[in-house]
Amino acid sequence: MFPVLNRKPTLAVWKFTSCDGCQLSILDMEDEFIDIASAFEISMFVEATRNQAPGPYDISLVEGSVSTPAEAKRIVDIRKESKILVTIGACATSGGIQALRNFSDVGEYASMVYASPEHLSLMKTSEPIKHYVDVDYELYGCPISKKVLLEFIISTLIGKSPRLPSSSVCMECKSNGYNCLAVTNASPCLGPVTRSGCEALCLSYDRPCFGCFGPKEYANLPSMTEIFKNKNVPEDELIRLYRTFNAHSELLARASKDLEGKE
C-alpha cells in the first residue's frame, strides 16, 4: 500500500521496447491527466515533458519489454530508484508482440527487416520486466485501460490498495448485454480465458475477443483448446490466435507450444 505523503509524490514514466501506445493512453486521459499532473511531481516522462529529474521516484510506470542488453541493465537501475514499480501494457507484462521472436530465430527476423543486422544489439528473446526485477503491480492490456490506470493512481494517492480487474472478459460481455459470439456464430473467442479490463470493446462491435489483456489467472487454456478443436478450428489458426500481444505469457505460450508438439 502506498503511504499518504505530506508532499507531492514523484512520478516517472519509462519506455522500453514498445510502440508508445500505453504512454499515449496516459496522455489520452486529457482532463484527468491535468489532475494527475497537479497531484504528482512528474519527474520523468519523455513523451510529455522535457523535465528529467533524478530519482528516487515514488512511483515508476514502465512500458515495454526488455529486448536489448542495455535495457536489461537499465531496468535494474530504475528498480533501485523506485519505491513502487508498475508495469503497464502487454509488452511490459508479457513481452509484447515482439516476443514472437521467442518462438523462432531473431537473427532470421533481423535479416529480413534490416539492411545491416550485424549492427544491431539484440537479445534472443523479448522478456517482461518481471523477468529481471521485482514488480509491485501489473496493469494489463494493449494498450492499458484508462479506467484501470485511474483506479490505480487514485487508490495509491489516498493510500489504499487498488482494485484491479481479475475476472474474465465474459463477465464484462454479459454485464453489457452483448450476445455471446462463441455460442451464436461459433467464433473462436478468447473471452473465457482473457482478463477483463477492456469493457468487452471488441464484442460491442461483434468481433470475438482476441486476448489483448492477456490470460486471466488460472485460465484453463487446455480446455479452451479442446473446445476450439471440437468446433473444427484448425490448429494453425489456434496457434496464430494464441500468439498475438501476449504470446509469451506463460499460459498462452504453453498452449501454443502444445499445439506444435513442442516442450
Side-chain angles (χ1 to χ4, degrees), residues 126-158:
S126 171
E127 299 293 341
I129 299 299
K130 63 185 175 185
H131 184 88
Y132 292 90
V133 297
D134 290 334
V135 171
D136 298 298
Y137 295 96
E138 294 181 304
L139 304 186
Y140 302 88
C142 188
I144 54 171
S145 158
K146 163 183 149 180
K147 182 178 179 180
V148 173
L149 179 60
L150 282 173
E151 161 66 20
F152 172 78
I153 290 174
I154 293 171
S155 295
T156 52
L157 276 174
I158 64 176

Side-chain angles (χ1 to χ4, degrees), residues 93-95 99 103 214-215 242 245-255:
T93 59
S94 69
F103 302 94
Y242 291 162
F245 310 100
N246 295 277
H248 189 41
S249 62
E250 182 180 354
L251 293 173
L252 285 173
R254 186 186 307 143

Side-chain angles (χ1 to χ4, degrees), residues 8-204:
K8 284 186 178 182
T10 52
L11 174 69
V13 182
W14 307 93
K15 171 184 165 58
F16 282 69
T17 301
S18 62
C19 71
D20 287 33
C22 290
Q23 292 182 82
L24 290 175
S25 292
I26 299 173
L27 297 177
D28 283 344
M29 289 195 291
E30 298 178 343
D31 292 341
E32 294 93 342
F33 183 73
I34 294 174
D35 293 331
I36 291 170
S38 299
F40 286 92
E41 184 68 35
I42 299 181
S43 301
M44 179 73 68
F45 190 178
V46 176
E47 193 87 17
T49 176
R50 294 181 181 179
N51 182 42
Q52 297 186 33
Y57 310 102
D58 290 309
I59 300 176
S60 278
L61 303 178
V62 181
E63 176 198 74
S65 65
V66 175
S67 297
T68 69
E71 289 180 333
K73 178 181 182 301
R74 183 167 162 248
I75 191 56
V76 173
D77 294 337
I78 291 172
R79 173 71 270 190
K80 291 177 181 177
E81 291 291 321
S82 306
K83 292 182 181 178
I84 293 178
L85 189 145
V86 185
T87 52
I88 58 173
C91 294
T93 59
S94 69
I97 196 75
Q98 59 271 24
L100 290 174
R101 72 169 72 170
N102 302 1
F103 302 94
S104 187
D105 178 8
V106 67
E108 181 181 355
Y109 287 148
S111 65
M112 294 179 188
V113 176
Y114 297 96
S116 302
E118 65 273 12
H119 298 305
L120 299 175
S121 178
L122 297 174
M123 300 174 77
K124 291 183 178 180
T125 60
S126 171
E127 299 293 341
I129 299 299
K130 63 185 175 185
H131 184 88
Y132 292 90
V133 297
D134 290 334
V135 171
D136 298 298
Y137 295 96
E138 294 181 304
L139 304 186
Y140 302 88
C142 188
I144 54 171
S145 158
K146 163 183 149 180
K147 182 178 179 180
V148 173
L149 179 60
L150 282 173
E151 161 66 20
F152 172 78
I153 290 174
I154 293 171
S155 295
T156 52
L157 276 174
I158 64 176
K160 80 177 187 72
S161 297
R163 297 179 61 185
L164 303 178
S166 60
S167 62
S168 71
V169 170
C170 289
M171 297 295 288
E172 292 179 321
C173 180
K174 301 315 294 179
S175 65
N176 282 299
Y178 304 143
N179 290 326
C180 178
L181 298 183
V183 173
T184 57
N185 60 5
S187 297
C189 180
L190 290 178
V193 295
T194 299
R195 186 184 301 271
S196 60
C198 64
E199 300 186 2
L201 177 62
C202 293
L203 284 302
S204 70

